[in-house]
Amino acid sequence: MLHLLLASALPLLAAGKATIDAQIAALEAANSPLLAYPSQLTQNIVPKPIHSHNDYWRDVPLLEALSFGVASVEADVFLINGTLFVGHEEAALTPNRTLDLLYIQPLLKVLGEQNPQNVFTVGQTTPNGVFDTSSGTPLQLLIDIKTDGVEALPVILQAFDPLRKAGYLTTFANGTLTESAVTVVGTGNSPLEQVKALEPRDYFFDAPLTQLTDPSLNTTWDPTLAPIASTDYESAVGWSGIGTIPADALSNITRFVADADARGIKSRFWDTPGWPIRARTAVWQTLLENGAFWLNADDLEAAANF
Ligand SMILES: *[C@@H]1O[C@H](CO)[C@@H](O)[C@H](O)[C@H]1NC(C)=O
Ligand SMILES: *[C@@H]1O[C@H](CO)[C@@H](O)[C@H](O)[C@H]1NC(C)=O
Ligand SMILES: *[C@@H]1O[C@H](CO)[C@@H](O)[C@H](O)[C@H]1NC(C)=O
Ligand SMILES: *[C@@H]1O[C@H](CO)[C@@H](O)[C@H](O)[C@H]1NC(C)=O
Ligand SMILES: *[C@@H]1O[C@H](CO)[C@@H](O)[C@H](O)[C@H]1NC(C)=O
């Protein structure tokens, strides 16, 4: 009897699964609207506090970073003859690799997909960010100005107009900081006094992590001006990642991180060792264990799997 039951149950189970598979295949073949999850571009991708250093070097800037859940990217920008080109140095510039084509237009496209305008979203007041799993997490975009900062800033602000008009930029206005899908932060030659004077402000400043307490800078550092503070790891910490970290190097990490934390600012150490891999890993681990927020990475896959 038992034998008989099993014999008849097994083919039935197989038929059930096969029947469902056949229905799935038919739905997929019919391109059913039921299967199209509207904001699926970054589905299942968890945002991580990783900064994509020299993001524009990647085969596909921005999108590759998003595919790993990287929540901060960096573009080096040159203002030449009124156009903003993206690249590490003059030799790397081409007519087409502009801030608009590499970052602004792709961001508009991604955010357009995350923010469909329809009867369901009509009451939504804050736009979704790029990450579907965490729509309130802004993407940080660092603009490293390579040419004259005072000259480039107004052109850059204008370049962001399409994102600004769509309400996608984090903004400090009338004493209130309102986070949105993209937080733009100036670094490199970004001019501090001009950034401070912006009202409203949707271009922020990458603060000097080792000088947050330095009165000669005449600046009150807080997230309404500087959501991030960075420093060159090599000069601020210097430990190679091999052997034991010297006490003064470790105390610098904890001191600089504490200076940032006390102001609600997120810390980043760039120029960390890239090789040997065990040294890179030891430095990343030491930084994160001691409260550093952003992991500055060239190898996004390694950082995402860290
Ligand atoms: C910038 O303009 C000058 C003068 O018209 C021209 O000679 C030069 O080639 C231009 N540079 C670029 C990168 O377009
Ligand atoms: C690339 O740049 C050239 C020269 O400026 C322009 O004619 C062309 O339309 C650009 N291509 C794209 C895809 O924007
Ligand atoms: C800031 O306040 C001014 C004057 O009250 C107002 O016109 C403006 O819309 C406000 N800006 C924002 C972004 O709330
Ligand atoms: C200090 O900063 C304030 C506010 O940005 C500015 O008005 C003032 O001129 C600055 N003073 C010096 C000495 O730079
Ligand atoms: C610690 O930071 C100070 C700057 O505040 C710097 O002069 C010193 O070299 C740093 N120490 C190490 C070990 O990097």
Side-chain angles (χ1 to χ4, degrees), residues 42-258:
T42 54
Q43 203 174 1
N44 296 331
I45 299 173
V46 177
K48 303 164 190 76
I50 297 172
H51 176 74
S52 175
H53 181 234
N54 292 337
D55 180 69
Y56 49 85
W57 270 349
R58 308 190 195 292
D59 292 344
V60 183
L62 181 68
L63 288 185
E64 222 170 298
L66 295 186
S67 77
F68 289 111
V70 166
S72 181
V73 297
E74 174 182 323
D76 289 3
V77 170
F78 292 76
L79 175 65
I80 301 171
N81 290 354
T83 300
L84 297 163
F85 297 95
V86 172
H88 196 57
E89 72 248 312
E90 273 91 350
L93 306 182
T94 75
N96 290 104
R97 290 175 59 90
T98 62
L99 182 64
D100 190 58
L101 289 178
L102 287 192
Y103 288 93
I104 312 256
Q105 295 306 325
L107 275 171
L108 279 170
K109 186 165 181 293
V110 171
L111 288 167
E113 284 167 28
Q114 299 302 109
N115 291 283
Q117 305 292 311
N118 58 38
V119 291
F120 300 104
T121 61
V122 73
Q124 190 176 342
T125 51
T126 29
N128 295 322
V130 294
F131 296 109
D132 200 45
T133 53
S134 178
S135 57
T137 299
L139 176 76
Q140 179 169 266
L141 173 54
L142 255 60
I143 300 292
D144 184 342
I145 303 182
K146 294 295 190 187
T147 50
D148 183 82
V150 174
E151 204 189 324
L153 182 63
V155 183
I156 294 170
L157 290 175
Q158 198 184 351
F160 278 102
D161 223 32
L163 289 165
R164 179 178 299 117
K165 286 206 172 97
Y168 290 151
L169 298 184
T170 295
T171 305
F172 178 61
N174 297 336
T176 304
L177 182 69
T178 308
E179 279 197 331
S180 191
V182 181
T183 303
V184 183
V185 182
T187 188
N189 289 342
S190 290
L192 177 57
E193 290 310 317
Q194 279 74 7
V195 173
K196 275 188 192 172
L198 294 174
E199 170 64 47
R201 181 185 298 135
D202 54 24
Y203 185 96
F204 298 86
F205 195 81
D206 182 19
L209 182 60
T210 58
Q211 293 171 280
L212 296 177
T213 57
D214 183 343
S216 75
L217 294 188
N218 184 25
T219 300
T220 304
W221 298 109
D222 66 43
T224 70
L225 174 65
I228 175 173
S230 307
T231 191
D232 179 356
Y233 172 88
E234 203 47 48
S235 62
V237 183
W239 175 52
S240 69
I242 294 170
T244 307
I245 184 168
D248 56 345
L250 183 60
S251 73
N252 266 13
I253 297 177
T254 52
R255 176 160 59 96
F256 298 140
V257 166

Side-chain angles (χ1 to χ4, degrees), residues 258-298:
D259 287 346
D261 284 353
R263 292 163 177 78
I265 296 173
K266 288 161 177 166
S267 49
R268 173 178 72 114
F269 294 81
W270 48 271
D271 195 21
T272 48
W275 194 86
I277 300 301
R278 69 191 157 92
R280 178 184 74 185
T281 304
V283 168
W284 278 355
Q285 201 150 358
T286 303
L287 287 172
L288 291 191
E289 277 168 3
N290 289 283
F293 186 86
W294 293 106
L295 200 58
N296 200 70
D298 288 292

